[in-house]
């Protein structure tokens, strides 16, 4: 399978993941360059490297994120309550997303298991079943 087919399969997988999350009542969309960040689950297709065609799903709460970042930058306080709350919500949503996606038959893991830089995201392997 060539690179273009792998990426196309990744976007097809992303569509299936978003449909399953919608069925569970969660807003979800595939991340596109330049699109505004919306609340809910943002799904990003991995387009390069050994994991090409897989995807990252991340919980997006722009208002909460903005407050957490503002607290960190303005007060220089890594223990700021806004940052702690944001971090805890991200981890709770990571657990929920993995559970929802696994129930639907996807191969979903904490993103830290495949990429130690991406904390709080969910990684969905490209080899997820085609029927969901």
């Amino acid at each position: 399978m060539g690179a273009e087919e792998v990426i196309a399969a990744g976007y097809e997988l992303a569509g299936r993941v978003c449909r399953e999350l919608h069925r569970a009542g969660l807003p979800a969309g595939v991340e596109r360059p330049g699109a505004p960040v919306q609340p809910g689950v943002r799904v990003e297709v991995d387009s390069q490297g050994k994991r090409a065609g897989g995807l990252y799903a991340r919980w997006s709460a722009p208002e909460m994120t903005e407050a957490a970042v503002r607290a960190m930058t303005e007060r220089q306080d890594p223990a700021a309550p806004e940052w702690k709350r944001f971090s805890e919500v991200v981890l709770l949503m990571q657990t929920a997303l993995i559970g929802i996606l696994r129930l639907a038959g996807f191969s979903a893991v904490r993103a830290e298991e495949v990429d130690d830089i991406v904390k709080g995201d969910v990684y969905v392997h490209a080899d997820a079943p085609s029927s969901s």
Side-chain angles (χ1 to χ4, degrees):
M1 188 182 295
E4 288 181 13
E5 291 90 2
V6 169
I7 301 308
Y11 278 98
E12 194 273 328
L13 173 62
R16 291 195 332 261
V17 164
C18 287
R19 282 190 297 281
E20 192 58 43
L21 293 172
H22 290 156
R23 287 180 57 199
L26 295 172
V30 179
E31 202 169 274
R32 303 280 183 197
V37 176
Q38 299 293 322
V41 183
R42 295 178 14 219
V43 178
E44 177 185 358
V45 175
D46 193 345
S47 61
Q48 49 191 308
K50 64 183 178 182
R51 290 183 294 278
L55 54 90
Y56 292 93
R58 67 185 47 91
W59 182 250
S60 173
E63 187 177 319
M64 185 180 284
T65 303
E66 186 178 313
V69 170
R70 192 171 48 248
M72 286 287 291
T73 57
E74 290 176 1
R75 297 197 307 260
Q76 299 292 309
D77 180 9
E82 298 91 342
W83 185 258
K84 186 175 186 319
R85 181 174 180 221
F86 165 74
S87 299
E88 289 178 7
V89 167
V90 166
L91 293 177
L92 287 167
M93 291 309 297
Q94 180 189 47
T95 301
L97 291 172
I98 289 170
I100 291 165
L101 293 172
R102 284 182 178 172
L103 280 172
F106 293 98
S107 177
V109 297
R110 293 174 346 125
E112 297 91 315
E113 293 179 22
V114 296
D115 183 344
D116 62 356
I117 296 173
V118 187
K119 302 267 190 250
D121 287 1
V122 173
Y123 187 80
V124 180
H125 292 277
D127 60 357
S130 58
S131 60
S132 56

